[in-house]
Amino acid sequence: MRALAILSTVGLGAPMGTESPAAHIGVATGTWLGSINPALGQLVRPLAIGGGAASVSALMGIPLVGSFFMFELSQRRQVPITPERVAAMLAGGLVGWGVNAAFKLQLIQLVVPQVAPTDFWDAVGATLLIGAIAGMITALTGEAIYWARGLRNKPATRLLIGGLMMLLLAIVIGRVATPAAAFGPGRAAIDWAENIETTPYHLLAVALLRAAATTAAVLAGGCGGVFVPFLAIGDLSGRVFATTFEIPGDLAGAAGAAAGIAGGYRLPLTAVAMVLGVGGPGAAQLTCLATVVVAALSGLVAARAANQLSSSLRAMIR
């Protein structure tokens, strides 16, 4: 049923990703394997975690991304970390990467920076602004998504409101960019930013519109993840500053994508693993890693500010 829900959401063009549902399917598969074999009864939890890591790594093509993804989610949910579970995370990541390599999968295409920044201070400025803006935008998007998931309206009402919002936002994105940029997890929007000469204002507008569209998809009850949408939102936000600081667009996009995962999804170790796994010149990787740190901090500040504002508004209403 979960797989069918993913197909109906992502397959029909909703702005959501496949990594979170894939992780759930991997966890469920690991749990099932442990339950049907009495000899593996004590390894149900490690098998579940390993299955989740394998699924994410198979999608991303980077072994440690799946491992750290499950590690950080486990920490967030206060799941005890044992040597068996750590081994399962690492083994699952390697197995998933092996599946990706064996079948030459190209499910999620990450932007690889090809050229390092030429000026140190330009790189510093870009790091600070890309990290701050991408981290803040994706963090606020994350808070909006948590709010949308917490609504207790009837499913039919949520589907109607969320669906109408997605339709309206798709029309607007199609006018600002291209119709293809409005649909799917976000790769088409990145392709538009890479291949069409546009302005920083258009890039920022599409990033914000994509953030709103993903929130609307969650409101409508879509079954999908936000990892890839955050990659796209961060990528677009990073490219806003490419011209200003005279850095290559692919470097700005890669830094922004990593910032989106660190600030929005709050998975800084996963973002670091992604940067190292993607590769590129050493100076470009250092720029992306520094951006991850800035984004993690700015995302935390933005999320706390949003929570405090929400609490204040609720107190005023009461």
Side-chain angles (χ1 to χ4, degrees):
M1 292 299 293
R2 191 84 182 184
L4 290 175
I6 297 169
L7 288 173
S8 62
T9 300
V10 182
L12 292 176
M16 302 190 77
T18 56
E19 78 297 325
S20 183
H24 284 298
I25 292 172
V27 169
T29 302
T31 303
W32 174 72
L33 289 173
S35 64
I36 63 172
N37 190 337
L40 300 176
Q42 295 182 345
L43 297 176
V44 170
R45 286 287 181 87
L47 285 171
I49 292 174
S55 296
V56 174
S57 291
L59 287 175
M60 302 294 296
I62 303 173
L64 285 180
V65 168
S67 301
F68 278 120
F69 182 87
M70 293 305 299
F71 172 77
E72 291 187 291
L73 287 185
S74 297
Q75 291 292 94
R76 183 180 300 175
R77 296 169 183 173
Q78 298 181 340
V79 176
I81 300 298
T82 64
E84 292 83 2
R85 292 173 185 175
V86 171
M89 292 175 194
L90 295 174
L94 286 173
V95 170
W97 170 75
V99 170
N100 182 285
F103 291 96
K104 298 180 180 180
L105 302 177
Q106 296 290 331
L107 300 174
I108 298 177
Q109 297 179 350
L110 299 172
V111 175
V112 181
Q114 302 294 335
V115 181
T118 56
D119 183 86
F120 174 77
W121 292 112
D122 281 346
V124 171
T127 295
L128 293 175
L129 276 178
I130 291 174
I133 299 302
M136 181 180 66
I137 291 174
T138 51
L140 293 177
T141 304
E143 292 301 313
I145 287 171
Y146 288 133
W147 169 81
R149 283 177 176 165
L151 291 178
R152 300 186 181 279
N153 301 81
K154 293 181 179 179
T157 303
R158 293 182 53 164
L159 178 61
L160 177 62
I161 296 174
L164 289 175
M165 288 177 61
M166 281 194 294
L167 177 61
L168 176 62
L169 289 165
I171 294 172
V172 176
I173 294 173
R175 296 293 298 272
V176 175
T178 63
F183 298 98
R187 182 65 222 185
I190 296 175
D191 289 339
W192 163 76
E194 286 183 325
N195 299 314
I196 302 297
E197 186 174 349
T198 186
T199 68
Y201 303 104
H202 283 81
L203 290 168
L204 183 59
V206 174
L208 294 173
L209 290 167
R210 290 276 319 179
T214 298
T215 305
V218 173
L219 176 62
C223 180
V226 296
F227 190 100
V228 182
F230 279 171
L231 284 176
I233 296 167
D235 182 292
L236 295 169
S237 302
R239 291 177 190 272
V240 170
F241 303 101
T243 303
T244 303
F245 291 99
E246 298 182 349
I247 61 173
D250 55 4
L251 174 57
I261 301 305
Y265 218 143
R266 302 179 197 173
L267 301 176
L269 295 180
T270 304
V272 168
M274 185 180 72
V275 169
L276 297 177
V278 165
Q285 286 187 307
L286 286 176
T287 301
C288 292
L289 291 174
T291 306
V292 166
V293 176
V294 176
L297 294 175
S298 69
L300 182 62
V301 171
R304 287 185 176 179
N307 285 328
Q308 290 178 356
L309 178 61
S310 177
S311 299
S312 300
L313 290 175
R314 288 176 183 174
M316 290 174 60
I317 293 173
R318 292 175 183 174

